[in-house]
Amino acid sequence: MNLGERIVFIDQKLGQLYPDPPIPLDHRDPYTLLIAVLLSAQCTDERVNKVTPALFDLADQPDKMIRHSVEQINSIVRPCGLAPKKAQAIRDLSLLLLDKHKGQVPKTFEDLEELPGVGHKTASVVMAQAFNHPAFPVDTHIHRLAQRWKLTSGKSVTQTEKDLKRHFPQERWNDLHLQIIYYGREHCSARNCHGLECMICQRCFPNRKKKVVLKKS
């Protein structure tokens, strides 16, 4: 298959496999989603979903969160790693939301990326999943599969995001980034397939013999 044929096939196959992909992080509203995405950095969604019920029972809004110390927050979120930086970021961004945004999660990339602990990927997830704004967050699964499927050079997650946005129509971005994540977990994981075994890799590259060597972000 050439690039154009791969894009069409991948888009159609993922749509068939995951017609209505659920948001993997449990949340109640934009604020709790923002906190869950922040906690998911270098941590599995499964672990985050085990931690956040206790955190959100303690505080599920910025005005409630700032009543608690970083130590109290950290005692709950520590299993997610990068402690106590994540706990500090959660309290700091809650303060900023109250001071600058009337306690509401802002709906622009610029304002989101000004929040402590929030980078472009986290902002993209919130924009896509909380506000249905077209975005294409690139995590490790997406960065890996985009390389295995030769949809990007893999030089950086920034470049991968640009390439995927160029390849696929904007109205597919929000579903597609979730569909790729689920496919990567179930069929084309970091420790399996290596560009050789899953249904999409085999169909797109039937003559591929060597494992794909990935470029890390």
Side-chain angles (χ1 to χ4, degrees), residues 124-203:
S124 295
V125 173
V126 173
M127 290 295 287
Q129 297 177 2
F131 303 128
N132 201 33
H133 180 90
F136 214 127
V138 174
D139 72 349
T140 55
H141 294 288
I142 294 175
H143 191 56
R144 176 178 71 253
L145 269 61
Q147 291 181 65
R148 287 180 176 174
W149 298 341
K150 289 190 176 182
L151 300 177
T152 184
S153 65
K155 292 181 179 179
S156 67
V157 292
T158 301
Q159 185 60 49
T160 296
E161 180 182 344
K162 290 180 180 178
D163 290 337
L164 293 175
K165 284 182 173 180
R166 186 176 70 252
H167 294 326
F168 297 97
Q170 189 178 85
E171 62 270 18
R172 286 284 292 125
W173 294 353
N174 289 356
D175 278 347
L176 194 59
H177 95 268
L178 289 172
Q179 291 165 342
I180 296 174
I181 289 171
Y182 282 116
Y183 187 86
R185 290 174 178 174
E186 296 177 11
H187 302 285
C188 196
S189 70
R191 294 179 177 84
N192 294 296
C193 183
H194 304 291
L196 299 172
E197 299 172 7
C198 78
M199 64 185 87
I200 290 180
C201 288
Q202 286 188 337
R203 179 68 179 274

Side-chain angles (χ1 to χ4, degrees), residues 42-56:
Q42 298 184 37
C43 181
T44 65
D45 292 347
E46 181 180 11
R47 180 170 294 179
V48 172
N49 287 339
K50 289 180 180 179
V51 165
T52 50
L55 179 64
F56 298 153

